[in-house]
PDB file of all heavy atoms in Angstrom:
ATOM      1  N   ALA E 522      -8.920  10.351   0.646  1.00 79.00           N
ATOM      2  CA  ALA E 522     -10.145   9.999   1.342  1.00 79.00           C
ATOM      3  C   ALA E 522     -11.240   9.527   0.357  1.00 79.00           C
ATOM      4  O   ALA E 522     -12.174   8.868   0.741  1.00 79.00           O
ATOM      5  CB  ALA E 522     -10.671  11.223   2.098  1.00 79.00           C
ATOM      6  N   GLU E 523     -11.022   9.820  -0.943  1.00 86.00           N
ATOM      7  CA  GLU E 523     -11.994   9.419  -1.970  1.00 86.00           C
ATOM      8  C   GLU E 523     -11.844   7.929  -2.327  1.00 86.00           C
ATOM      9  O   GLU E 523     -12.656   7.399  -3.075  1.00 86.00           O
ATOM     10  CB  GLU E 523     -11.792  10.267  -3.227  1.00 86.00           C
ATOM     11  CG  GLU E 523     -12.029  11.766  -3.024  1.00 86.00           C
ATOM     12  CD  GLU E 523     -11.583  12.576  -4.184  1.00 86.00           C
ATOM     13  OE1 GLU E 523     -11.705  12.111  -5.351  1.00 86.00           O
ATOM     14  OE2 GLU E 523     -11.043  13.694  -3.989  1.00 86.00           O
ATOM     15  N   GLY E 524     -10.797   7.270  -1.830  1.00 92.00           N
ATOM     16  CA  GLY E 524     -10.607   5.875  -2.143  1.00 92.00           C
ATOM     17  C   GLY E 524      -9.378   5.633  -2.982  1.00 92.00           C
ATOM     18  O   GLY E 524      -8.371   6.368  -2.850  1.00 92.00           O
ATOM     19  N   LEU E 525      -9.431   4.610  -3.870  1.00 95.00           N
ATOM     20  CA  LEU E 525      -8.300   4.239  -4.674  1.00 95.00           C
ATOM     21  C   LEU E 525      -8.605   4.449  -6.151  1.00 95.00           C
ATOM     22  O   LEU E 525      -9.745   4.302  -6.587  1.00 95.00           O
ATOM     23  CB  LEU E 525      -7.966   2.781  -4.407  1.00 95.00           C
ATOM     24  CG  LEU E 525      -7.613   2.368  -2.953  1.00 95.00           C
ATOM     25  CD1 LEU E 525      -7.503   0.873  -2.836  1.00 95.00           C
ATOM     26  CD2 LEU E 525      -6.331   3.065  -2.520  1.00 95.00           C
ATOM     27  N   PRO E 526      -7.576   4.717  -6.962  1.00 95.00           N
ATOM     28  CA  PRO E 526      -7.777   4.840  -8.409  1.00 95.00           C
ATOM     29  C   PRO E 526      -8.231   3.477  -8.989  1.00 95.00           C
ATOM     30  O   PRO E 526      -7.980   2.448  -8.395  1.00 95.00           O
ATOM     31  CB  PRO E 526      -6.403   5.183  -8.931  1.00 95.00           C
ATOM     32  CG  PRO E 526      -5.621   5.672  -7.762  1.00 95.00           C
ATOM     33  CD  PRO E 526      -6.193   4.961  -6.579  1.00 95.00           C
ATOM     34  N   PRO E 527      -8.916   3.544 -10.150  1.00 96.00           N
ATOM     35  CA  PRO E 527      -9.477   2.289 -10.745  1.00 96.00           C
ATOM     36  C   PRO E 527      -8.415   1.473 -11.465  1.00 96.00           C
ATOM     37  O   PRO E 527      -8.576   1.149 -12.661  1.00 96.00           O
ATOM     38  CB  PRO E 527     -10.574   2.833 -11.676  1.00 96.00           C
ATOM     39  CG  PRO E 527     -10.011   4.190 -12.107  1.00 96.00           C
ATOM     40  CD  PRO E 527      -9.320   4.758 -10.920  1.00 96.00           C
ATOM     41  N   ALA E 528      -7.326   1.186 -10.783  1.00 97.00           N
ATOM     42  CA  ALA E 528      -6.240   0.396 -11.416  1.00 97.00           C
ATOM     43  C   ALA E 528      -6.469  -1.085 -11.276  1.00 97.00           C
ATOM     44  O   ALA E 528      -7.278  -1.550 -10.419  1.00 97.00           O
ATOM     45  CB  ALA E 528      -4.909   0.800 -10.771  1.00 97.00           C
ATOM     46  N   LEU E 529      -5.775  -1.880 -12.067  1.00 97.00           N
ATOM     47  CA  LEU E 529      -5.863  -3.326 -11.977  1.00 97.00           C
ATOM     48  C   LEU E 529      -5.386  -3.781 -10.599  1.00 97.00           C
ATOM     49  O   LEU E 529      -5.977  -4.701 -10.011  1.00 97.00           O
ATOM     50  CB  LEU E 529      -4.969  -3.960 -13.083  1.00 97.00           C
ATOM     51  CG  LEU E 529      -4.950  -5.477 -13.121  1.00 97.00           C
ATOM     52  CD1 LEU E 529      -6.148  -6.037 -13.825  1.00 97.00           C
ATOM     53  CD2 LEU E 529      -3.643  -5.980 -13.740  1.00 97.00           C
ATOM     54  N   ALA E 530      -4.313  -3.152 -10.107  1.00 97.00           N
ATOM     55  CA  ALA E 530      -3.774  -3.501  -8.761  1.00 97.00           C
ATOM     56  C   ALA E 530      -3.213  -2.232  -8.160  1.00 97.00           C
ATOM     57  O   ALA E 530      -2.542  -1.452  -8.842  1.00 97.00           O
ATOM     58  CB  ALA E 530      -2.738  -4.550  -8.882  1.00 97.00           C
ATOM     59  N   VAL E 531      -3.485  -2.055  -6.841  1.00 97.00           N
ATOM     60  CA  VAL E 531      -2.909  -0.916  -6.135  1.00 97.00           C
ATOM     61  C   VAL E 531      -2.241  -1.465  -4.892  1.00 97.00           C
ATOM     62  O   VAL E 531      -2.890  -1.987  -3.991  1.00 97.00           O
ATOM     63  CB  VAL E 531      -4.037   0.094  -5.677  1.00 97.00           C
ATOM     64  CG1 VAL E 531      -3.406   1.231  -4.907  1.00 97.00           C
ATOM     65  CG2 VAL E 531      -4.770   0.636  -6.888  1.00 97.00           C
ATOM     66  N   ILE E 532      -0.909  -1.385  -4.889  1.00 96.00           N
ATOM     67  CA  ILE E 532      -0.107  -1.897  -3.768  1.00 96.00           C
ATOM     68  C   ILE E 532       0.415  -0.730  -2.993  1.00 96.00           C
ATOM     69  O   ILE E 532       1.159   0.103  -3.523  1.00 96.00           O
ATOM     70  CB  ILE E 532       1.052  -2.769  -4.306  1.00 96.00           C
ATOM     71  CG1 ILE E 532       0.564  -3.829  -5.268  1.00 96.00           C
ATOM     72  CG2 ILE E 532       1.830  -3.408  -3.132  1.00 96.00           C
ATOM     73  CD1 ILE E 532       1.665  -4.507  -6.049  1.00 96.00           C
ATOM     74  N   ASP E 533      -0.061  -0.621  -1.743  1.00 95.00           N
ATOM     75  CA  ASP E 533       0.389   0.526  -0.904  1.00 95.00           C
ATOM     76  C   ASP E 533       0.199   0.105   0.558  1.00 95.00           C
ATOM     77  O   ASP E 533      -0.938  -0.193   0.973  1.00 95.00           O
ATOM     78  CB  ASP E 533      -0.485   1.750  -1.197  1.00 95.00           C
ATOM     79  CG  ASP E 533       0.002   3.015  -0.543  1.00 95.00           C
ATOM     80  OD1 ASP E 533       0.627   2.906   0.565  1.00 95.00           O
ATOM     81  OD2 ASP E 533      -0.212   4.117  -1.073  1.00 95.00           O
ATOM     82  N   PRO E 534       1.262   0.093   1.336  1.00 94.00           N
ATOM     83  CA  PRO E 534       1.133  -0.307   2.779  1.00 94.00           C
ATOM     84  C   PRO E 534       0.238   0.624   3.571  1.00 94.00           C
ATOM     85  O   PRO E 534      -0.206   0.268   4.671  1.00 94.00           O
ATOM     86  CB  PRO E 534       2.574  -0.329   3.276  1.00 94.00           C
ATOM     87  CG  PRO E 534       3.318   0.569   2.325  1.00 94.00           C
ATOM     88  CD  PRO E 534       2.637   0.430   0.989  1.00 94.00           C
ATOM     89  N   LYS E 535      -0.010   1.849   3.026  1.00 91.00           N
ATOM     90  CA  LYS E 535      -0.839   2.802   3.756  1.00 91.00           C
ATOM     91  C   LYS E 535      -2.328   2.594   3.499  1.00 91.00           C
ATOM     92  O   LYS E 535      -3.176   3.280   4.049  1.00 91.00           O
ATOM     93  CB  LYS E 535      -0.470   4.220   3.359  1.00 91.00           C
ATOM     94  CG  LYS E 535       1.020   4.559   3.540  1.00 91.00           C
ATOM     95  CD  LYS E 535       1.334   4.878   5.018  1.00 91.00           C
ATOM     96  CE  LYS E 535       2.832   5.122   5.201  1.00 91.00           C
ATOM     97  NZ  LYS E 535       3.349   6.271   4.473  1.00 91.00           N
ATOM     98  N   ARG E 536      -2.680   1.626   2.602  1.00 92.00           N
ATOM     99  CA  ARG E 536      -4.089   1.280   2.421  1.00 92.00           C
ATOM    100  C   ARG E 536      -4.683   0.805   3.748  1.00 92.00           C
ATOM    101  O   ARG E 536      -4.038   0.042   4.505  1.00 92.00           O
ATOM    102  CB  ARG E 536      -4.238   0.150   1.421  1.00 92.00           C
ATOM    103  CG  ARG E 536      -4.088   0.565  -0.045  1.00 92.00           C
ATOM    104  CD  ARG E 536      -4.253  -0.591  -0.983  1.00 92.00           C
ATOM    105  NE  ARG E 536      -5.554  -1.271  -0.885  1.00 92.00           N
ATOM    106  CZ  ARG E 536      -6.103  -1.958  -1.849  1.00 92.00           C
ATOM    107  NH1 ARG E 536      -5.443  -2.132  -2.995  1.00 92.00           N
ATOM    108  NH2 ARG E 536      -7.289  -2.514  -1.700  1.00 92.00           N
ATOM    109  N   SER E 537      -5.892   1.243   4.043  1.00 92.00           N
ATOM    110  CA  SER E 537      -6.496   0.837   5.351  1.00 92.00           C
ATOM    111  C   SER E 537      -6.721  -0.678   5.439  1.00 92.00           C
ATOM    112  O   SER E 537      -6.773  -1.223   6.518  1.00 92.00           O
ATOM    113  CB  SER E 537      -7.842   1.573   5.516  1.00 92.00           C
ATOM    114  OG  SER E 537      -8.719   1.246   4.457  1.00 92.00           O
ATOM    115  N   ASP E 538      -6.861  -1.356   4.276  1.00 95.00           N
ATOM    116  CA  ASP E 538      -7.085  -2.818   4.286  1.00 95.00           C
ATOM    117  C   ASP E 538      -5.824  -3.595   4.066  1.00 95.00           C
ATOM    118  O   ASP E 538      -5.869  -4.823   3.879  1.00 95.00           O
ATOM    119  CB  ASP E 538      -8.133  -3.176   3.242  1.00 95.00           C
ATOM    120  CG  ASP E 538      -7.701  -2.753   1.800  1.00 95.00           C
ATOM    121  OD1 ASP E 538      -6.705  -1.992   1.704  1.00 95.00           O
ATOM    122  OD2 ASP E 538      -8.338  -3.214   0.844  1.00 95.00           O
ATOM    123  N   CYS E 539      -4.664  -2.946   4.097  1.00 95.00           N
ATOM    124  CA  CYS E 539      -3.403  -3.659   3.921  1.00 95.00           C
ATOM    125  C   CYS E 539      -2.913  -4.253   5.238  1.00 95.00           C
ATOM    126  O   CYS E 539      -2.736  -3.559   6.227  1.00 95.00           O
ATOM    127  CB  CYS E 539      -2.324  -2.701   3.377  1.00 95.00           C
ATOM    128  SG  CYS E 539      -0.714  -3.515   3.133  1.00 95.00           S
ATOM    129  N   ARG E 540      -2.722  -5.558   5.248  1.00 95.00           N
ATOM    130  CA  ARG E 540      -2.312  -6.261   6.476  1.00 95.00           C
ATOM    131  C   ARG E 540      -0.810  -6.361   6.636  1.00 95.00           C
ATOM    132  O   ARG E 540      -0.329  -6.956   7.621  1.00 95.00           O
ATOM    133  CB  ARG E 540      -2.934  -7.673   6.510  1.00 95.00           C
ATOM    134  CG  ARG E 540      -4.446  -7.701   6.514  1.00 95.00           C
ATOM    135  CD  ARG E 540      -4.992  -9.068   6.780  1.00 95.00           C
ATOM    136  NE  ARG E 540      -4.483 -10.084   5.898  1.00 95.00           N
ATOM    137  CZ  ARG E 540      -4.982 -10.415   4.712  1.00 95.00           C
ATOM    138  NH1 ARG E 540      -6.052  -9.726   4.282  1.00 95.00           N
ATOM    139  NH2 ARG E 540      -4.450 -11.345   3.952  1.00 95.00           N
ATOM    140  N   TYR E 541      -0.084  -5.817   5.664  1.00 95.00           N
ATOM    141  CA  TYR E 541       1.384  -5.923   5.757  1.00 95.00           C
ATOM    142  C   TYR E 541       1.878  -5.209   7.020  1.00 95.00           C
ATOM    143  O   TYR E 541       1.507  -4.063   7.252  1.00 95.00           O
ATOM    144  CB  TYR E 541       2.046  -5.363   4.523  1.00 95.00           C
ATOM    145  CG  TYR E 541       3.486  -5.800   4.411  1.00 95.00           C
ATOM    146  CD1 TYR E 541       3.803  -7.115   4.136  1.00 95.00           C
ATOM    147  CD2 TYR E 541       4.541  -4.925   4.576  1.00 95.00           C
ATOM    148  CE1 TYR E 541       5.103  -7.566   4.042  1.00 95.00           C
ATOM    149  CE2 TYR E 541       5.835  -5.316   4.480  1.00 95.00           C
ATOM    150  CZ  TYR E 541       6.134  -6.656   4.204  1.00 95.00           C
ATOM    151  OH  TYR E 541       7.430  -7.085   4.123  1.00 95.00           O
ATOM    152  N   PRO E 542       2.686  -5.838   7.872  1.00 94.00           N
ATOM    153  CA  PRO E 542       2.986  -5.260   9.182  1.00 94.00           C
ATOM    154  C   PRO E 542       3.901  -4.037   9.203  1.00 94.00           C
ATOM    155  O   PRO E 542       3.822  -3.227  10.115  1.00 94.00           O
ATOM    156  CB  PRO E 542       3.665  -6.438   9.933  1.00 94.00           C
ATOM    157  CG  PRO E 542       4.233  -7.285   8.853  1.00 94.00           C
ATOM    158  CD  PRO E 542       3.273  -7.182   7.668  1.00 94.00           C
ATOM    159  N   PHE E 543       4.717  -3.851   8.172  1.00 95.00           N
ATOM    160  CA  PHE E 543       5.655  -2.724   8.173  1.00 95.00           C
ATOM    161  C   PHE E 543       5.127  -1.672   7.218  1.00 95.00           C
ATOM    162  O   PHE E 543       5.069  -1.886   5.973  1.00 95.00           O
ATOM    163  CB  PHE E 543       7.055  -3.165   7.791  1.00 95.00           C
ATOM    164  CG  PHE E 543       8.090  -2.112   7.989  1.00 95.00           C
ATOM    165  CD1 PHE E 543       8.404  -1.655   9.249  1.00 95.00           C
ATOM    166  CD2 PHE E 543       8.738  -1.529   6.884  1.00 95.00           C
ATOM    167  CE1 PHE E 543       9.350  -0.636   9.432  1.00 95.00           C
ATOM    168  CE2 PHE E 543       9.685  -0.510   7.074  1.00 95.00           C
ATOM    169  CZ  PHE E 543       9.984  -0.091   8.343  1.00 95.00           C
ATOM    170  N   LYS E 544       4.785  -0.493   7.713  1.00 94.00           N
ATOM    171  CA  LYS E 544       4.100   0.548   6.967  1.00 94.00           C
ATOM    172  C   LYS E 544       5.041   1.651   6.386  1.00 94.00           C
ATOM    173  O   LYS E 544       4.565   2.560   5.764  1.00 94.00           O
ATOM    174  CB  LYS E 544       3.025   1.230   7.823  1.00 94.00           C
ATOM    175  CG  LYS E 544       2.021   0.281   8.419  1.00 94.00           C
ATOM    176  CD  LYS E 544       1.175  -0.389   7.297  1.00 94.00           C
ATOM    177  CE  LYS E 544       0.078  -1.252   7.913  1.00 94.00           C
ATOM    178  NZ  LYS E 544      -0.696  -1.922   6.837  1.00 94.00           N
ATOM    179  N   HIS E 545       6.350   1.528   6.648  1.00 93.00           N
ATOM    180  CA  HIS E 545       7.247   2.668   6.386  1.00 93.00           C
ATOM    181  C   HIS E 545       8.229   2.422   5.257  1.00 93.00           C
ATOM    182  O   HIS E 545       9.305   3.055   5.200  1.00 93.00           O
ATOM    183  CB  HIS E 545       7.981   3.054   7.657  1.00 93.00           C
ATOM    184  CG  HIS E 545       7.082   3.307   8.810  1.00 93.00           C
ATOM    185  ND1 HIS E 545       6.237   4.377   8.842  1.00 93.00           N
ATOM    186  CD2 HIS E 545       6.837   2.617   9.963  1.00 93.00           C
ATOM    187  CE1 HIS E 545       5.529   4.359  10.002  1.00 93.00           C
ATOM    188  NE2 HIS E 545       5.904   3.282  10.666  1.00 93.00           N
ATOM    189  N   LEU E 546       7.912   1.484   4.363  1.00 96.00           N
ATOM    190  CA  LEU E 546       8.813   1.231   3.237  1.00 96.00           C
ATOM    191  C   LEU E 546       8.886   2.456   2.312  1.00 96.00           C
ATOM    192  O   LEU E 546       7.853   3.117   2.056  1.00 96.00           O
ATOM    193  CB  LEU E 546       8.325   0.049   2.398  1.00 96.00           C
ATOM    194  CG  LEU E 546       8.338  -1.332   3.060  1.00 96.00           C
ATOM    195  CD1 LEU E 546       7.576  -2.313   2.205  1.00 96.00           C
ATOM    196  CD2 LEU E 546       9.780  -1.804   3.262  1.00 96.00           C
ATOM    197  N   ALA E 547      10.102   2.767   1.814  1.00 95.00           N
ATOM    198  CA  ALA E 547      10.207   3.684   0.694  1.00 95.00           C
ATOM    199  C   ALA E 547       9.659   2.989  -0.537  1.00 95.00           C
ATOM    200  O   ALA E 547       9.477   1.750  -0.525  1.00 95.00           O
ATOM    201  CB  ALA E 547      11.672   4.101   0.507  1.00 95.00           C
ATOM    202  N   SER E 548       9.455   3.693  -1.619  1.00 96.00           N
ATOM    203  CA  SER E 548       8.970   3.078  -2.837  1.00 96.00           C
ATOM    204  C   SER E 548       9.952   1.989  -3.344  1.00 96.00           C
ATOM    205  O   SER E 548       9.534   0.926  -3.742  1.00 96.00           O
ATOM    206  CB  SER E 548       8.788   4.137  -3.917  1.00 96.00           C
ATOM    207  OG  SER E 548       8.510   3.531  -5.176  1.00 96.00           O
ATOM    208  N   VAL E 549      11.262   2.313  -3.230  1.00 98.00           N
ATOM    209  CA  VAL E 549      12.214   1.317  -3.720  1.00 98.00           C
ATOM    210  C   VAL E 549      12.223   0.057  -2.850  1.00 98.00           C
ATOM    211  O   VAL E 549      12.500  -1.062  -3.350  1.00 98.00           O
ATOM    212  CB  VAL E 549      13.651   1.954  -3.772  1.00 98.00           C
ATOM    213  CG1 VAL E 549      14.250   2.142  -2.419  1.00 98.00           C
ATOM    214  CG2 VAL E 549      14.597   1.137  -4.678  1.00 98.00           C
ATOM    215  N   GLY E 550      11.860   0.195  -1.586  1.00 97.00           N
ATOM    216  CA  GLY E 550      11.677  -0.989  -0.748  1.00 97.00           C
ATOM    217  C   GLY E 550      10.508  -1.815  -1.144  1.00 97.00           C
ATOM    218  O   GLY E 550      10.538  -3.038  -1.133  1.00 97.00           O
ATOM    219  N   MET E 551       9.436  -1.129  -1.595  1.00 97.00           N
ATOM    220  CA  MET E 551       8.272  -1.868  -2.119  1.00 97.00           C
ATOM    221  C   MET E 551       8.633  -2.594  -3.390  1.00 97.00           C
ATOM    222  O   MET E 551       8.161  -3.734  -3.583  1.00 97.00           O
ATOM    223  CB  MET E 551       7.147  -0.881  -2.379  1.00 97.00           C
ATOM    224  CG  MET E 551       6.558  -0.262  -1.109  1.00 97.00           C
ATOM    225  SD  MET E 551       5.169   0.814  -1.480  1.00 97.00           S
ATOM    226  CE  MET E 551       4.083  -0.342  -2.275  1.00 97.00           C
ATOM    227  N   VAL E 552       9.408  -1.979  -4.258  1.00 98.00           N
ATOM    228  CA  VAL E 552       9.829  -2.654  -5.501  1.00 98.00           C
ATOM    229  C   VAL E 552      10.699  -3.854  -5.172  1.00 98.00           C
ATOM    230  O   VAL E 552      10.657  -4.900  -5.832  1.00 98.00           O
ATOM    231  CB  VAL E 552      10.551  -1.683  -6.469  1.00 98.00           C
ATOM    232  CG1 VAL E 552      10.985  -2.401  -7.730  1.00 98.00           C
ATOM    233  CG2 VAL E 552       9.645  -0.520  -6.833  1.00 98.00           C
TER     234      VAL E 552
END
């Protein structure tokens, strides 16, 4: 709830601003 870490890039389908339609990828699916 505090937001996102101060990384160069944060890729996560569970981000509230992520428009990617499928939210249930495992990490290996994201890779």
